[in-house]
Coordinates of all heavy atoms in Angstrom, one line a residue:
E66 N -2.4 -8.3 12.8 CA -2.8 -7.4 11.7 C -1.9 -6.2 11.5 O -1.5 -5.9 10.4 CB -4.3 -7.0 11.9 CG -5.3 -7.6 11.0 CD -6.7 -7.2 11.4 OE1 -7.0 -6.0 11.4 OE2 -7.5 -8.0 11.8
Q67 N -1.7 -5.5 12.7 CA -0.8 -4.4 12.6 C 0.6 -4.7 12.1 O 1.2 -4.0 11.3 CB -0.7 -3.7 14.0 CG -2.0 -3.1 14.4 CD -2.0 -2.6 15.8 OE1 -1.2 -3.0 16.7 NE2 -2.9 -1.6 16.1
T68 N 1.1 -5.9 12.4 CA 2.4 -6.3 12.0 C 2.5 -6.6 10.6 O 3.5 -6.3 9.8 CB 2.9 -7.5 12.9 OG1 2.9 -7.1 14.3 CG2 4.4 -7.9 12.6
Q69 N 1.4 -7.2 10.0 CA 1.4 -7.4 8.6 C 1.4 -6.0 7.9 O 2.1 -6.0 6.9 CB 0.0 -8.2 8.2 CG 0.2 -9.7 8.5 CD -1.2 -10.4 8.7 OE1 -2.2 -9.7 9.0 NE2 -1.2 -11.7 8.6
N70 N 0.7 -5.2 8.4 CA 0.7 -3.8 7.8 C 2.1 -3.1 7.9 O 2.5 -2.4 6.9 CB -0.4 -2.9 8.4 CG -0.4 -1.5 7.9 OD1 -0.4 -1.4 6.7 ND2 -0.2 -0.5 8.7
H71 N 2.8 -3.4 9.0 CA 4.2 -2.8 9.2 C 5.1 -3.4 8.1 O 6.0 -2.7 7.6 CB 4.7 -3.1 10.5 CG 4.0 -2.5 11.6 ND1 4.3 -2.8 13.0 CD2 3.0 -1.7 11.6 CE1 3.4 -2.1 13.8 NE2 2.6 -1.5 13.0
V72 N 4.9 -4.6 7.7 CA 5.7 -5.2 6.6 C 5.6 -4.4 5.3 O 6.5 -3.9 4.7 CB 5.3 -6.7 6.3 CG1 6.1 -7.1 5.1 CG2 5.7 -7.6 7.6
S73 N 4.3 -4.0 5.1 CA 4.0 -3.2 3.8 C 4.6 -1.9 4.0 O 5.1 -1.3 3.0 CB 2.5 -3.2 3.6 OG 1.9 -4.4 3.7
V74 N 4.4 -1.3 5.2 CA 4.9 0.1 5.4 C 6.4 0.2 5.1 O 6.9 1.1 4.4 CB 4.6 0.6 6.8 CG1 5.3 1.9 7.2 CG2 3.1 0.8 7.0
V75 N 7.2 -0.8 5.6 CA 8.6 -0.8 5.5 C 9.0 -1.0 4.0 O 9.8 -0.3 3.5 CB 9.4 -1.8 6.4 CG1 10.9 -1.7 6.2 CG2 9.1 -1.5 7.8
E76 N 8.2 -2.0 3.4 CA 8.5 -2.2 1.9 C 8.2 -1.0 1.1 O 9.0 -0.6 0.2 CB 7.6 -3.4 1.4 CG 8.2 -4.7 1.9 CD 7.2 -5.8 1.5 OE1 6.1 -5.6 1.2 OE2 7.7 -7.0 1.6
E77 N 7.2 -0.3 1.4 CA 6.9 1.0 0.7 C 8.0 2.0 0.9 O 8.4 2.7 -0.1 CB 5.6 1.5 1.1 CG 4.4 0.9 0.5 CD 3.0 1.1 1.1 OE1 2.9 2.3 1.6 OE2 2.1 0.3 1.1
C78 N 8.4 2.1 2.1 CA 9.5 3.1 2.4 C 10.7 2.7 1.6 O 11.4 3.6 1.0 CB 9.9 2.8 3.8 SG 9.7 4.2 4.9
M79 N 11.1 1.4 1.6 CA 12.2 1.0 0.8 C 12.1 1.3 -0.7 O 13.0 1.8 -1.4 CB 12.4 -0.5 0.9 CG 12.9 -0.8 2.3 SD 13.2 -2.6 2.5 CE 14.7 -2.5 3.7
Q80 N 10.9 1.1 -1.2 CA 10.7 1.4 -2.7 C 10.9 2.9 -3.0 O 11.5 3.3 -3.8 CB 9.3 1.0 -3.1 CG 9.2 -0.5 -3.6 CD 7.9 -1.2 -3.3 OE1 6.9 -0.5 -3.1 NE2 7.9 -2.5 -3.4
K81 N 10.3 3.7 -2.0 CA 10.5 5.2 -2.2 C 12.0 5.5 -2.2 O 12.4 6.5 -2.8 CB 9.8 5.9 -1.0 CG 8.3 6.0 -1.2 CD 7.7 6.8 -0.1 CE 6.2 6.5 0.1 NZ 5.7 7.0 1.4
L82 N 12.8 4.8 -1.4 CA 14.2 5.2 -1.3 C 15.1 4.3 -2.3 O 16.3 4.4 -2.3 CB 14.7 4.9 0.2 CG 13.9 5.8 1.2 CD1 14.4 5.3 2.6 CD2 14.3 7.2 1.0
G83 N 14.4 3.6 -3.2 CA 15.2 2.9 -4.2 C 15.9 1.7 -3.7 O 16.9 1.2 -4.3
L84 N 15.4 1.1 -2.5 CA 16.1 -0.1 -2.0 C 15.3 -1.3 -2.4 O 14.1 -1.3 -2.4 CB 16.1 0.0 -0.5 CG 17.0 1.1 0.1 CD1 16.8 1.2 1.6 CD2 18.4 1.1 -0.2
D85 N 16.1 -2.4 -2.6 CA 15.4 -3.7 -2.9 C 15.1 -4.5 -1.7 O 15.9 -4.8 -1.0 CB 16.4 -4.5 -3.8 CG 15.9 -5.9 -4.1 OD1 14.7 -6.2 -3.8 OD2 16.7 -6.8 -4.6
P86 N 13.8 -4.7 -1.4 CA 13.3 -5.3 -0.2 C 13.8 -6.7 0.0 O 13.9 -7.4 1.0 CB 11.8 -5.3 -0.2 CG 11.5 -4.3 -1.3 CD 12.6 -4.3 -2.2
N87 N 14.3 -7.4 -1.2 CA 14.7 -8.7 -1.2 C 16.3 -8.8 -0.9 O 16.8 -10.0 -0.8 CB 14.4 -9.5 -2.4 CG 12.9 -9.5 -2.6 OD1 12.2 -9.9 -1.6 ND2 12.4 -9.2 -3.8
E88 N 16.9 -7.7 -0.8 CA 18.4 -7.8 -0.6 C 18.7 -8.5 0.7 O 18.1 -8.1 1.7 CB 19.0 -6.4 -0.8 CG 20.5 -6.4 -0.9 CD 21.1 -5.1 -1.0 OE1 20.6 -4.3 -1.9 OE2 22.0 -4.8 -0.3
E89 N 19.7 -9.3 0.6 CA 20.1 -10.0 2.0 C 21.3 -9.2 2.6 O 22.1 -8.6 1.9 CB 20.6 -11.3 1.6 CG 20.9 -12.3 2.8 CD 19.6 -12.6 3.6 OE1 19.1 -11.8 4.3 OE2 19.2 -13.8 3.4
T90 N 21.3 -9.0 3.9 CA 22.4 -8.4 4.6 C 22.8 -9.3 5.7 O 21.9 -10.1 6.2 CB 22.1 -7.0 5.1 OG1 21.3 -7.1 6.4 CG2 21.4 -6.1 4.2
P91 N 24.0 -9.3 6.2 CA 24.4 -10.2 7.3 C 23.6 -10.0 8.6 O 23.2 -10.9 9.2 CB 26.0 -9.8 7.5 CG 26.3 -9.2 6.3 CD 25.1 -8.5 5.7
G92 N 23.3 -8.7 8.8 CA 22.5 -8.4 10.0 C 21.1 -8.9 9.9 O 20.5 -9.4 10.9
R93 N 20.6 -8.8 8.7 CA 19.2 -9.4 8.5 C 19.0 -10.8 8.7 O 18.1 -11.3 9.2 CB 18.9 -9.0 7.0 CG 17.5 -9.3 6.6 CD 17.2 -8.9 5.2 NE 15.8 -9.2 4.9 CZ 15.2 -8.8 3.8 NH1 15.8 -8.2 2.9 NH2 13.9 -9.2 3.7
K94 N 20.1 -11.5 8.3 CA 20.2 -13.0 8.6 C 20.1 -13.3 10.0 O 19.4 -14.2 10.4 CB 21.5 -13.5 8.0 CG 21.4 -14.0 6.7 CD 22.7 -14.8 6.3 CE 23.0 -14.7 4.8 NZ 24.3 -15.1 4.5
V95 N 20.8 -12.5 10.8 CA 20.8 -12.7 12.3 C 19.4 -12.5 12.9 O 18.8 -13.3 13.6 CB 21.8 -11.8 13.0 CG1 21.6 -11.9 14.5 CG2 23.2 -12.1 12.6
V96 N 18.7 -11.4 12.4 CA 17.3 -11.1 12.9 C 16.4 -12.3 12.4 O 15.6 -12.7 13.3 CB 16.9 -9.8 12.2 CG1 15.4 -9.5 12.6 CG2 17.7 -8.6 12.7
R97 N 16.6 -12.8 11.2 CA 15.8 -13.9 10.8 C 16.0 -15.1 11.7 O 15.0 -15.8 12.1 CB 16.0 -14.3 9.3 CG 15.1 -15.3 8.8 CD 15.3 -15.7 7.4 NE 15.5 -14.5 6.6 CZ 16.6 -14.3 5.8 NH1 17.5 -15.1 5.6 NH2 16.7 -13.1 5.1
H98 N 17.2 -15.4 12.0 CA 17.6 -16.6 12.9 C 16.9 -16.5 14.2 O 16.3 -17.4 14.7 CB 19.1 -16.6 12.9 CG 19.6 -17.7 14.0 ND1 19.6 -19.0 13.6 CD2 19.9 -17.6 15.3 CE1 20.0 -19.7 14.7 NE2 20.2 -18.9 15.7
I99 N 16.9 -15.3 14.8 CA 16.3 -15.1 16.1 C 14.8 -15.3 16.1 O 14.2 -16.0 16.9 CB 16.7 -13.6 16.7 CG1 18.1 -13.6 17.0 CG2 15.8 -13.4 17.9 CD1 18.7 -12.2 17.4
G100 N 14.2 -14.8 15.0 CA 12.7 -14.9 14.8 C 12.3 -16.4 14.6 O 11.4 -16.9 15.3
E101 N 13.1 -17.1 13.8 CA 12.9 -18.5 13.6 C 13.1 -19.3 15.0 O 12.3 -20.3 15.3 CB 13.8 -19.1 12.6 CG 13.3 -18.6 11.2 CD 14.4 -19.0 10.1 OE1 15.6 -19.4 10.4 OE2 14.1 -18.7 8.9
S102 N 14.0 -18.9 15.8 CA 14.3 -19.5 17.0 C 13.1 -19.3 18.0 O 12.7 -20.2 18.7 CB 15.6 -19.0 17.7 OG 16.7 -19.1 16.8
L103 N 12.5 -18.1 18.0 CA 11.4 -17.8 18.9 C 10.2 -18.7 18.4 O 9.5 -19.2 19.3 CB 11.0 -16.3 18.8 CG 12.0 -15.4 19.3 CD1 11.7 -13.9 19.0 CD2 12.3 -15.6 20.8
V104 N 10.0 -18.9 17.1 CA 8.9 -19.7 16.7 C 9.2 -21.2 17.1 O 8.3 -21.9 17.7 CB 8.8 -19.7 15.2 CG1 7.9 -20.8 14.6 CG2 8.3 -18.3 14.7
E105 N 10.4 -21.6 17.0 CA 10.9 -22.9 17.5 C 10.6 -23.2 19.0 O 10.2 -24.2 19.4 CB 12.3 -23.2 17.1 CG 12.7 -24.6 16.9 CD 14.1 -24.8 16.6 OE1 14.7 -24.0 15.7 OE2 14.8 -25.6 17.2
A106 N 10.9 -22.1 19.7 CA 10.7 -22.2 21.2 C 9.2 -22.5 21.5 O 8.9 -23.3 22.4 CB 11.2 -21.0 21.9
M107 N 8.4 -21.7 20.8 CA 6.9 -21.9 21.0 C 6.5 -23.4 20.6 O 5.6 -23.9 21.3 CB 6.2 -20.8 20.3 CG 6.3 -19.5 21.0 SD 5.3 -18.2 20.2 CE 6.4 -17.6 19.0
E108 N 7.0 -23.7 19.5 CA 6.7 -25.1 19.0 C 7.1 -26.2 20.0 O 6.3 -27.1 20.3 CB 7.4 -25.4 17.7 CG 6.9 -24.6 16.5 CD 5.5 -24.9 15.9 OE1 4.8 -25.8 16.5 OE2 5.1 -24.2 15.0
M109 N 8.2 -26.0 20.7 CA 8.6 -26.9 21.7 C 7.7 -27.0 22.9 O 7.3 -28.0 23.3 CB 10.0 -26.4 22.3 CG 11.2 -27.0 21.6 SD 12.7 -26.1 22.3 CE 12.9 -26.8 23.9
A110 N 7.2 -25.8 23.2 CA 6.3 -25.7 24.4 C 5.0 -26.3 24.0 O 4.3 -27.0 24.8 CB 6.1 -24.2 24.9
L111 N 4.4 -26.0 22.8 CA 3.2 -26.6 22.3 C 3.2 -28.2 22.3 O 2.4 -28.8 22.7 CB 2.9 -26.1 20.8 CG 2.3 -24.7 20.8 CD1 2.3 -24.3 19.3 CD2 0.9 -24.7 21.3
A112 N 4.5 -28.7 21.9 CA 4.6 -30.1 21.8 C 4.5 -30.8 23.1 O 4.0 -31.9 23.3 CB 6.0 -30.5 21.1
E113 N 4.9 -30.1 24.2 CA 4.9 -30.6 25.6 C 3.4 -30.7 26.0 O 3.1 -31.6 26.9 CB 5.7 -29.7 26.5 CG 7.2 -29.8 26.3 CD 7.8 -31.1 26.7 OE1 7.2 -31.8 27.5 OE2 8.8 -31.5 26.0
G114 N 2.6 -29.9 25.6 CA 1.1 -29.9 25.9 C 0.6 -29.6 27.2 O -0.4 -29.8 27.6
E115 N 1.6 -29.1 28.0 CA 1.3 -28.7 29.5 C 0.3 -27.5 29.4 O 0.6 -26.5 28.8 CB 2.6 -28.3 30.1 CG 2.5 -28.1 31.7 CD 2.7 -29.5 32.3 OE1 3.3 -30.4 31.8 OE2 2.1 -29.6 33.4
P116 N -0.8 -27.6 30.1 CA -1.8 -26.5 30.0 C -1.3 -25.1 30.5 O -0.6 -25.1 31.5 CB -3.0 -26.9 30.9 CG -2.9 -28.3 31.0 CD -1.4 -28.7 30.9
G117 N -1.3 -24.1 29.7 CA -0.9 -22.8 30.1 C 0.6 -22.5 29.9 O 1.1 -21.3 29.9
A118 N 1.4 -23.6 29.7 CA 2.9 -23.4 29.6 C 3.3 -22.7 28.3 O 4.1 -21.9 28.3 CB 3.6 -24.7 29.8
A119 N 2.7 -23.2 27.2 CA 3.0 -22.6 25.8 C 2.6 -21.1 25.8 O 3.3 -20.3 25.2 CB 2.3 -23.4 24.7
Q120 N 1.5 -20.8 26.5 CA 1.1 -19.4 26.5 C 2.1 -18.4 27.3 O 2.3 -17.4 26.8 CB -0.3 -19.3 27.3 CG -0.8 -17.8 27.4 CD -2.3 -17.8 28.0 OE1 -3.2 -17.6 27.2 NE2 -2.3 -18.1 29.3
L121 N 2.6 -19.0 28.3 CA 3.7 -18.2 29.0 C 4.9 -18.1 28.1 O 5.5 -17.0 28.0 CB 4.1 -18.9 30.4 CG 3.1 -18.9 31.6 CD1 3.7 -19.6 32.7 CD2 2.8 -17.4 31.9
V122 N 5.3 -19.1 27.5 CA 6.5 -19.0 26.6 C 6.2 -18.0 25.4 O 7.0 -17.2 25.0 CB 6.7 -20.5 26.0 CG1 7.8 -20.4 24.8 CG2 7.2 -21.4 27.1
A123 N 5.0 -18.1 24.9 CA 4.6 -17.2 23.9 C 4.6 -15.7 24.3 O 5.1 -14.9 23.5 CB 3.2 -17.6 23.4
T124 N 4.2 -15.5 25.5 CA 4.3 -14.0 26.0 C 5.7 -13.6 26.0 O 6.1 -12.4 25.6 CB 3.6 -13.8 27.3 OG1 4.4 -14.6 28.3 CG2 2.2 -14.2 27.4
E125 N 6.7 -14.5 26.4 CA 8.0 -14.1 26.5 C 8.7 -14.0 25.1 O 9.4 -13.1 24.9 CB 8.9 -15.1 27.3 CG 8.4 -15.2 28.8 CD 9.2 -16.2 29.6 OE1 10.3 -16.7 29.0 OE2 8.8 -16.4 30.7
C126 N 8.3 -14.8 24.2 CA 8.8 -14.7 22.8 C 8.3 -13.5 22.1 O 9.1 -12.8 21.4 CB 8.2 -15.9 22.0 SG 9.2 -17.4 22.4
V127 N 7.0 -13.0 22.4 CA 6.6 -11.8 21.8 C 7.3 -10.6 22.4 O 7.7 -9.7 21.7 CB 5.0 -11.7 22.0 CG1 4.5 -10.3 21.6 CG2 4.3 -12.7 21.2
V128 N 7.6 -10.7 23.7 CA 8.4 -9.6 24.3 C 9.8 -9.5 23.7 O 10.2 -8.4 23.4 CB 8.4 -9.8 25.9 CG1 9.5 -8.8 26.5 CG2 7.1 -9.6 26.5
H129 N 10.4 -10.7 23.5 CA 11.7 -10.7 22.8 C 11.6 -10.0 21.4 O 12.3 -9.1 21.1 CB 12.2 -12.2 22.6 CG 12.8 -12.7 23.8 ND1 13.8 -12.1 24.5 CD2 12.5 -13.8 24.5 CE1 14.1 -12.9 25.6 NE2 13.3 -14.0 25.6
A130 N 10.6 -10.5 20.6 CA 10.5 -10.0 19.3 C 10.2 -8.5 19.3 O 10.7 -7.8 18.5 CB 9.4 -10.7 18.6
E131 N 9.2 -8.1 20.1 CA 8.8 -6.7 20.2 C 9.9 -5.8 20.8 O 9.9 -4.6 20.5 CB 7.6 -6.6 21.0 CG 6.3 -7.2 20.2 CD 6.0 -6.4 19.0 OE1 6.5 -5.4 18.7 OE2 5.1 -6.8 18.2
T132 N 10.9 -6.3 21.5 CA 12.0 -5.5 22.0 C 12.7 -4.9 20.8 O 13.1 -3.7 20.8 CB 12.9 -6.3 23.0 OG1 12.0 -6.7 24.1 CG2 14.0 -5.5 23.6
K133 N 13.1 -5.8 19.9 CA 13.8 -5.4 18.8 C 12.9 -4.5 17.8 O 13.4 -3.5 17.4 CB 14.2 -6.7 18.0 CG 14.8 -6.4 16.6 CD 16.2 -5.9 16.7 CE 16.8 -5.9 15.3 NZ 18.0 -4.9 15.2
D134 N 11.7 -4.9 17.7 CA 10.8 -4.1 16.8 C 10.6 -2.7 17.3 O 10.8 -1.7 16.6 CB 9.4 -4.8 16.9 CG 8.5 -4.4 15.7 OD1 9.0 -3.9 14.7 OD2 7.3 -4.8 15.7
H135 N 10.4 -2.6 18.7 CA 10.3 -1.3 19.3 C 11.6 -0.5 19.1 O 11.5 0.8 18.8 CB 9.9 -1.5 20.8 CG 9.6 -0.2 21.6 ND1 10.5 0.4 22.4 CD2 8.5 0.4 21.6 CE1 9.9 1.5 22.8 NE2 8.7 1.6 22.4
M136 N 12.8 -1.1 19.3 CA 13.9 -0.3 19.2 C 14.2 0.2 17.7 O 14.6 1.3 17.5 CB 15.2 -1.2 19.6 CG 16.4 -0.3 19.7 SD 17.8 -1.0 20.5 CE 18.2 -2.1 19.2
N137 N 13.9 -0.7 16.8 CA 14.0 -0.3 15.3 C 13.2 1.0 15.1 O 13.8 1.9 14.5 CB 13.3 -1.4 14.4 CG 14.2 -2.6 14.4 OD1 15.4 -2.7 14.7 ND2 13.5 -3.7 14.0
W138 N 12.0 1.0 15.6 CA 11.2 2.2 15.2 C 11.6 3.4 16.0 O 11.5 4.6 15.6 CB 9.7 1.8 15.5 CG 9.2 1.0 14.3 CD1 9.0 -0.3 14.2 CD2 9.0 1.5 12.9 NE1 8.7 -0.7 13.0 CE2 8.6 0.4 12.1 CE3 9.0 2.8 12.4 CZ2 8.3 0.6 10.9 CZ3 8.6 2.9 11.0 CH2 8.3 1.8 10.3
H139 N 12.1 3.2 17.3 CA 12.7 4.3 18.0 C 13.8 4.8 17.2 O 14.0 6.1 17.1 CB 13.1 3.7 19.4 CG 13.8 4.9 20.2 ND1 13.1 5.9 20.8 CD2 15.1 5.1 20.4 CE1 14.0 6.7 21.4 NE2 15.2 6.3 21.2
L140 N 14.7 4.0 16.7 CA 15.9 4.4 16.0 C 15.5 5.1 14.6 O 16.1 6.1 14.3 CB 16.9 3.3 15.7 CG 17.5 2.6 16.9 CD1 18.2 1.3 16.5 CD2 18.4 3.6 17.6
I141 N 14.4 4.7 14.0 CA 13.9 5.2 12.8 C 13.5 6.7 13.2 O 13.8 7.6 12.4 CB 12.8 4.4 12.1 CG1 13.4 3.1 11.6 CG2 12.1 5.2 11.0 CD1 12.4 2.1 11.1
G142 N 12.9 6.8 14.3 CA 12.5 8.1 14.8 C 13.7 9.0 15.1 O 13.6 10.3 14.7
E143 N 14.7 8.5 15.5 CA 16.0 9.3 15.7 C 16.5 9.8 14.4 O 17.1 10.8 14.2 CB 17.1 8.5 16.5 CG 16.7 8.2 18.0 CD 16.6 9.5 18.8 OE1 17.4 10.3 18.7 OE2 15.5 9.6 19.5
V144 N 16.5 8.9 13.4 CA 17.0 9.1 12.0 C 16.1 10.3 11.5 O 16.7 11.2 10.8 CB 16.9 7.9 11.1 CG1 17.3 8.3 9.7 CG2 18.0 6.9 11.6
V145 N 14.8 10.2 11.6 CA 13.9 11.2 11.1 C 14.3 12.6 11.6 O 14.3 13.6 10.8 CB 12.5 10.9 11.5 CG1 11.5 12.1 11.2 CG2 11.9 9.6 10.7
K146 N 14.7 12.7 12.8 CA 15.1 14.0 13.4 C 16.2 14.7 12.6 O 16.3 15.9 12.6 CB 15.4 13.8 14.9 CG 14.3 13.6 15.9 CD 14.8 13.5 17.3 CE 13.8 12.8 18.2 NZ 14.4 12.4 19.4
K147 N 17.1 13.8 12.1 CA 18.4 14.4 11.6 C 18.4 14.3 10.0 O 19.2 15.0 9.3 CB 19.6 13.6 12.1 CG 19.8 13.7 13.6 CD 20.5 15.0 13.9 CE 20.6 15.3 15.4 NZ 20.8 16.6 15.8
A148 N 17.6 13.4 9.5 CA 17.6 13.1 8.0 C 17.1 14.4 7.3 O 16.3 15.2 7.9 CB 16.9 11.9 7.6

Side-chain angles (χ1 to χ4, degrees):
E66 252 175 60
Q67 290 174 338
T68 304
Q69 283 162 336
N70 180 51
H71 296 175
V72 174
S73 314
V74 168
V75 182
E76 280 174 349
E77 278 164 34
C78 241
M79 288 181 147
Q80 270 150 18
K81 282 182 199 164
L82 300 173
L84 299 175
D85 173 10
N87 296 315
E88 196 181 306
E89 189 68 285
T90 77
R93 184 176 183 172
K94 267 190 209 163
V95 173
V96 174
R97 187 179 314 129
H98 174 78
I99 293 170
E101 286 167 355
S102 306
L103 294 173
V104 169
E105 207 183 309
M107 288 184 274
E108 294 288 2
M109 270 171 76
L111 280 168
E113 291 293 330
E115 194 81 29
Q120 177 172 254
L121 287 181
V122 171
T124 62
E125 292 182 14
C126 288
V127 171
V128 169
H129 283 300
E131 289 294 354
T132 300
K133 171 73 172 164
D134 202 14
H135 188 258
M136 189 172 71
N137 290 339
W138 285 100
H139 176 77
L140 293 172
I141 290 169
E143 291 299 310
V144 172
V145 168
K146 288 183 200 164
K147 296 281 176 201

